[in-house]
Amino acid sequence: MTSLPVIPLNDGHRVPALGFGTYPLTGPEGVTAIASALGVGYRMLDTAVNYKNETEVGEALRVSGVARRDITLTSKLPGRDHGYDETLRSFEGTIERLGVEKLDLYLIHWPNPSVNRFVDTWKAMIRLREEGRVASIGVSNFTEDFLTRLAAETGVLPAVNQVELHPYFPQEALLEFHREHGIATEAWSPLGKRAKPHEEAVIGEIAERHGVTPAQAVLRWHIERGVIPIPKSATPARQAQNLDIFGFELDEADIAAITALGRPDGRLFDGDPNTHEEM
Ligand SMILES: NC(=O)c1ccc[n+]([C@@H]2O[C@H](COP(=O)([O-])OP(=O)(O)OC[C@H]3O[C@@H](n4cnc5c(N)ncnc54)[C@H](OP(=O)(O)O)[C@@H]3O)[C@@H](O)[C@H]2O)c1
């Protein structure tokens, strides 16, 4: 099995250039689907307390037979656990459910600005990293303003910001900010989930020209922009297809044509982190 390209993080660690999204894979079927993903070659898994599948992810890890050290395991802290002590406690629950000793990447799931505790939460994450319990720390759904506040109040920028990003919502300004500040971008709903941007004619034409599927063209678009997509599929054939995107390249015009599908109201739901909060 050829190994995946890697992306260097601002803390010296490296993560695979593409990961596997595990929401909403739960129960025995979820374990089978996640173990299948590891079997076809994914080496980074994305879970969260709020996906209620950390136990399944840990189980899949063990049944897959893939060595723990070869896997980048990501989980996320839920809104209801914001706060310094709450974060330290929540972390213990996460690693217990996963059945591991340490985490590779730990993210604040949503900033929840009205609660206004994400800075204290971040300070606890910094401590977990200093203690070696977590290799890398990051955030999810943070805007430029929230990132700037973390840096101003703690001096530590996240290694990763995982945000909604797909052809209908290409996040050009945030990507530029991330590039300037050395923050790696992960794309959630990288295929645009139910909005299915891969069904757009322009993506079909690009895919046909490169001899790949429309979903592969979309995932390659992320790679070309330096973004780490974390597609979810419960289907082994699609899992393999979504991983097989390192043998072709898109040109500048292809990338621009897909980015041009973006629109201001392109979010899948009203997930503006300034107003949308999740507990
Ligand atoms: N941080 C956050 O706030 C946040 C929010 C949302 C999601 N996430 C993470 O991001 C991950 C991925 O996002 P997502 O699941 O919302 O959306 P997604 O990965 O864009 O899309 C998943 C959907 O696309 C289908 N699909 C997968 N591969 C395909 C292919 N090659 N051709 C056609 N259809 C395909 C899947 O169906 P099948 O399963 O039937 O193949 C599924 O219905 C989640 O699992 C989760 O880990 C994070």
Side-chain angles (χ1 to χ4, degrees):
M1 194 179 294
T2 48
S3 59
L4 286 164
V6 293
I7 302 283
L9 302 181
N10 62 15
D11 58 12
H13 290 287
R14 303 185 310 170
V15 296
L18 174 146
F20 183 73
T22 70
Y23 180 77
L25 302 170
T26 55
E29 287 168 12
V31 174
T32 303
I34 298 162
S36 159
L38 291 169
V40 303
Y42 289 83
R43 289 296 175 266
M44 177 158 68
L45 298 178
D46 182 76
T47 181
V49 170
N50 278 346
Y51 299 170
K52 297 190 169 68
N53 69 356
E54 289 176 314
T55 307
E56 284 90 332
V57 168
E59 172 86 15
L61 204 65
R62 286 179 288 281
V63 302
S64 75
V66 179
R68 171 71 187 92
R69 66 176 175 278
D70 293 336
I71 295 179
T72 301
L73 200 49
T74 309
S75 194
K76 311 187 198 80
L77 177 97
R80 63 183 174 284
D81 290 342
H82 279 205
Y84 191 88
D85 293 337
E86 291 85 345
T87 297
L88 299 178
R89 261 199 304 277
S90 189
F91 174 76
E92 298 302 331
T94 280
I95 58 166
E96 192 179 315
R97 282 184 294 278
L98 286 165
V100 297
E101 285 181 7
K102 57 174 281 195
L103 212 52
D104 303 293
L105 181 59
Y106 196 28
L107 310 179
I108 302 178
H109 205 150
W110 284 88
N112 292 359
S114 80
V115 177
N116 197 21
R117 300 188 83 187
F118 66 75
V119 175
D120 281 344
T121 304
W122 187 239
K123 287 178 181 165
M125 294 233 174
I126 294 168
R127 172 170 162 183
L128 288 168
R129 188 183 64 178
E130 284 169 354
E131 289 176 345
R133 313 289 311 280
V134 177
S136 298
I137 52 175
V139 294
S140 180
N141 301 301
F142 271 51
T143 62
E144 184 175 325
D145 285 352
F146 300 147
L147 292 166
T148 302
R149 192 169 154 209
L150 287 186
E153 296 196 29
T154 69
V156 180
L157 270 173
V160 167
N161 188 15
Q162 181 187 115
V163 294
E164 175 172 2
L165 205 175
H166 44 74
Y168 291 140
F169 203 65
Q171 294 265 30
E172 295 217 85
L174 188 61
L175 264 190
E176 191 50 41
F177 181 83
H178 284 176
R179 281 191 204 107
E180 278 167 19
H181 292 85
I183 299 169
T185 309
E186 285 190 356
W188 61 256
S189 294
L191 293 168
K193 209 173 180 176
R194 59 190 160 277
K196 300 189 179 176
H198 48 270
E199 292 183 353
E200 293 276 352
V202 63
I203 295 181
E205 285 158 22
I206 292 168
E208 201 174 330
R209 193 152 26 81
H210 290 278
V212 298
T213 69
Q216 287 176 314
V218 170
L219 293 171
R220 183 70 209 183
W221 169 78
H222 288 287
I223 301 297
E224 302 284 2
R225 302 174 87 218
V227 169
I228 304 164
I230 50 166
K232 169 265 173 186
S233 177
T235 326
R238 281 178 171 175
Q239 292 174 350
Q241 182 195 125
N242 294 347
L243 196 62
D244 185 17
I245 56 164
F246 297 99
F248 71 103
E249 288 175 3
L250 300 181
D251 60 33
E252 291 295 327
D254 297 332
I255 298 164
I258 298 177
T259 307
L261 291 170
R263 45 199 201 211
D265 64 347
R267 290 188 192 275
L268 292 172
F269 60 99
D270 192 16
D272 179 348
N274 287 301
T275 48
H276 177 83
E277 306 202 330
E278 291 194 5
M279 292 300 148

